[in-house]
Amino acid sequence: MKVKVISRSTDEFTRERSQDLQRVFHNFDPNLRTQEKAVEYQRALNAAKLDKIFARPFIGAMDGHIDAVSCMAKNPNYLKGIFSGSMDGDIRLWDIANRRTVCRFPGHQGAVRGLTASTDGSTLVSCGTDCTVRLWNVPVATIMESGNSSDCSSEPRAVYMGENAYWAVDHQWSGDLFATAGAQVDIWNHNRSQPVNSFKWGTDSVISVRFNPGEPNLLATSASDRSIMLYDLRVSSPARKLIMRTKTNSISWNPMEPMNFTAANEDCNCYSYDARKFDEAKCVHKDHVSAVMDIDFSPTGREFVTGSYDRTVRIFQYNGGHSREIYHTKRMQRVFCVKFSCDASYVISGSDDTNLRLWKAKASEQLGIVLPREQRRHEYNEALKKRYKHLPEVKRIVRHRHLPKPIYKAGVLRRVMIEAERRKDHRRKAHSAPGSIVTEPMRKRRIIKEVE
């Protein structure tokens, strides 16, 4: 005869120290836990509500410029540093942690339209409407860490004169070349005062330029004639050209998928493209109610941030049609430039009201040191929300955002207009000969043609 007894060792449930937690044994047999799903659903609901309660995305503003902030650049060699340029020609290096100016770079006589840092972070390249390209030495991190560096001022290492105003500049991810955009696309070397190469396709000004993170010799530009162009530095002529219905203000490559890029457009949308297949967009990102002015991908490649003329900052998933987060303040005016921090934890925006603003990438994220138990609790709550995100109540709480009244009304009006246009197309198709009218998806509708 078999006799079953409960056998426990005292080592299994005895605490080694008085500060240790008591060990709790769980029996995960579903027959004994009939209310497990209901309990988990309630926890997911509470986690979604707690996210709303603790959502405090705005960290602080950095003021110092006396005119609108027109462009920004990250310092790849210093996590806490960011460069900003304004419409009055002032360039500043900021310490994000302390929210103060570390160094100033005076010299431009007009608006600064483009900033970029070299791969090693030792050189800053700026360009502007005064037809000059300037190279600056960036102070080392030890000077930036010292407390008396607020009065630091730097002289340009080199000044290159051009014939026309420059609207954008970008540096290779790995290499010594940088590109400027203006009446044409010029390729420069740090050690030469004249462009080593120039590209021109059409007569309109080029307004943005971005080097590919995976292929150093490939770059994308957008122009005021509504075109997006790809250039290869290894050949003497441009590679491809895409003409859209409205102008593209900025472009950003996905750092984790270097064949894909997203374009910020004047028609309030962003369009993600595969550089190998231009006949349709991979995804259309909607939600803004005015022109999208700037865009920047997170270093993880899973999401990007946009700044718009409608005075809001939005964060999108790389494959999501609608924004997961919207940031706004009463004082913030039209947003001209946005950047993700190099650790993907923060978002920096520059706007027309002369301020840079620092935001959390996750609105309810806890700042400071997080204990292991807290970290596990946060991960558990995130897993619960992800598991029950399709249920109506959880979905409603997670998606809800308070919007300023002008933006809310503009969004309603925009949806009414889009719905009216859809109904009109449907009726036109219903009263036409079968096959005479073909309905194009939104991914193709905004493209006019592709030129090889």
Side-chain angles (χ1 to χ4, degrees):
M1 184 178 72
K2 291 183 180 179
V3 177
K4 292 184 179 179
V5 296
I6 297 175
S7 175
R8 287 180 180 167
S9 171
T10 55
D11 296 335
E12 292 180 357
F13 57 86
T14 304
R15 293 185 294 178
E16 294 181 1
R17 293 172 298 177
S18 60
Q19 292 87 1
D20 292 348
L21 297 174
Q22 288 282 4
R23 296 187 182 183
V24 181
F25 295 92
H26 290 287
N27 189 341
F28 293 103
D29 184 2
N31 295 322
L32 300 175
R33 299 161 61 87
T34 55
Q35 298 296 317
E36 183 181 12
K37 283 286 177 66
V39 170
E40 277 195 347
Y41 169 72
Q42 192 60 45
R43 287 175 181 169
L45 208 57
N46 291 340
K49 292 176 181 177
L50 286 172
D51 258 5
K52 293 298 176 186
I53 292 172
F54 292 114
R56 299 287 185 272
F58 181 65
I59 297 174
M62 296 177 280
D63 58 340
H65 286 293
I66 58 174
D67 208 340
V69 181
S70 55
C71 55
M72 291 192 298
K74 289 180 279 193
N75 188 345
N77 199 32
Y78 188 64
L79 185 64
K80 298 190 295 181
I82 192 163
F83 302 98
S84 66
S86 68
M87 299 295 282
D88 65 340
D90 186 24
I91 302 173
R92 292 173 181 248
L93 172 58
W94 299 86
D95 181 358
I96 298 176
N98 299 312
R99 300 203 291 275
R100 63 182 177 87
T101 301
V102 172
C103 189
R104 299 180 65 177
F105 304 90
H108 279 283
Q109 302 301 315
V112 181
R113 304 301 305 194
L115 287 174
T116 185
S118 60
T119 312
D120 58 0
S122 62
T123 303
L124 173 68
V125 183
S126 66
C127 67
T129 54
D130 58 354
C131 308
T132 62
V133 177
R134 296 170 187 262
L135 272 63
W136 315 79
N137 288 322
V138 178
V140 294
T142 53
I143 298 177
M144 294 178 65
E145 293 290 352
S146 63
N148 59 352
S149 59
S150 58
D151 297 329
C152 168
S153 184
S154 179
E155 292 296 322
R157 190 178 75 196
V159 180
Y160 304 148
M161 295 295 298
E163 297 179 358
N164 303 97
Y166 294 104
W167 295 98
V169 64
D170 193 42
H171 200 283
Q172 277 184 323
W173 286 62
S174 57
D176 295 329
L177 301 179
F178 63 91
T180 57
Q184 60 188 8
V185 178
D186 293 326
I187 311 300
W188 303 75
N189 192 304
H190 285 210
N191 303 316
R192 298 187 60 176
S193 60
Q194 293 296 323
V196 297
N197 204 348
S198 295
F199 297 99
K200 192 169 185 178
W201 195 351
T203 57
D204 286 282
S205 297
V206 182
I207 56 177
S208 74
V209 59
R210 285 287 184 273
F211 272 100
N212 187 291
E215 175 51 65
N217 295 309
L218 184 67
L219 60 96
T221 65
S222 65
S224 54
D225 62 353
R226 303 165 297 159
S227 64
I228 299 173
M229 290 167 282
L230 291 181
Y231 296 91
D232 194 337
L233 304 185
R234 294 165 294 191
V235 296
S236 58
S237 60
R240 303 173 78 182
K241 184 177 185 178
L242 175 72
I243 301 177
M244 299 186 68
R245 295 190 182 276
T246 46
K247 186 176 70 172
T248 296
N249 290 316
S250 184
I251 291 174
S252 183
W253 293 92
N254 188 333
M256 292 292 108
E257 298 174 357
M259 75 291 291
N260 299 330
F261 67 88
T262 303
N265 208 272
E266 281 277 325
D267 65 353
C268 315
N269 297 334
C270 296
Y271 299 88
S272 291
Y273 288 100
D274 189 331
R276 304 163 296 183
K277 190 172 182 286
F278 263 3
D279 57 347
E280 68 172 342
K282 291 187 67 177
C283 186
V284 181
H285 311 276
K286 309 174 183 179
D287 268 352
H288 280 295
V289 295
S290 190
V292 187
M293 302 303 295
D294 197 18
I295 182 173
D296 187 49
F297 259 97
S298 164
T300 61
R302 311 308 292 175
E303 54 190 19
F304 61 86
V305 61
T306 59
S308 171
Y309 214 69
D310 62 11
R311 307 188 295 278
T312 63
V313 175
R314 290 182 185 262
I315 299 176
F316 292 83
Q317 299 289 339
Y318 79 105
N319 57 356
H322 295 277
S323 61
R324 74 159 177 85
E325 201 64 76
I326 174 171
Y327 296 153
H328 55 85
T329 68
K330 288 183 178 179
R331 294 174 181 267
M332 186 164 69
Q333 298 303 309
R334 298 167 296 191
V335 182
F336 289 140
C337 49
V338 287
K339 289 291 179 188
F340 252 107
S341 64
C342 292
D343 60 352
S345 298
Y346 302 98
V347 168
I348 303 100
S349 66
S351 51
D352 203 11
D353 58 331
T354 74
N355 281 352
L356 277 76
R357 286 180 171 82
L358 185 62
W359 313 82
K360 288 188 282 189
K362 294 181 180 177
S364 59
E365 187 178 23
Q366 182 179 344
L367 295 180
I369 298 174
V370 180
L371 298 175
R373 284 183 66 200
E374 291 177 312
Q375 184 64 34
R376 287 195 297 270
R377 185 67 183 178
H378 292 328
E379 291 170 357
Y380 176 63
N381 286 340
E382 287 297 322
L384 283 178
K385 286 189 296 180
K386 188 175 181 181
R387 183 174 185 179
Y388 292 96
K389 64 182 179 182
H390 61 284
L391 294 179
E393 192 67 12
V394 177
K395 187 177 181 180
R396 181 187 67 81
I397 294 172
V398 169
R399 289 184 56 187
H400 179 72
R401 295 289 182 277
H402 288 288
L403 296 178
K405 189 177 287 186
I407 295 171
Y408 177 78
K409 288 186 174 180
V412 171
L413 180 61
R414 181 169 167 78
R415 286 192 292 273
V416 169
M417 292 166 64
I418 291 173
E419 179 61 22
E421 187 179 350
R422 189 195 64 79
R423 284 199 309 270
K424 187 175 181 180
D425 289 343
H426 179 71
R427 288 168 182 165
R428 185 185 289 117
K429 187 175 181 179
H431 292 84
S432 302
S436 60
I437 295 179
V438 179
T439 304
E440 284 189 321
M442 188 67 178
R443 299 191 308 275
K444 292 185 177 182
R445 200 181 308 160
R446 306 298 299 177
I447 299 173
I448 295 178
K449 66 176 180 178
E450 180 187 357
V451 183
E452 292 284 347

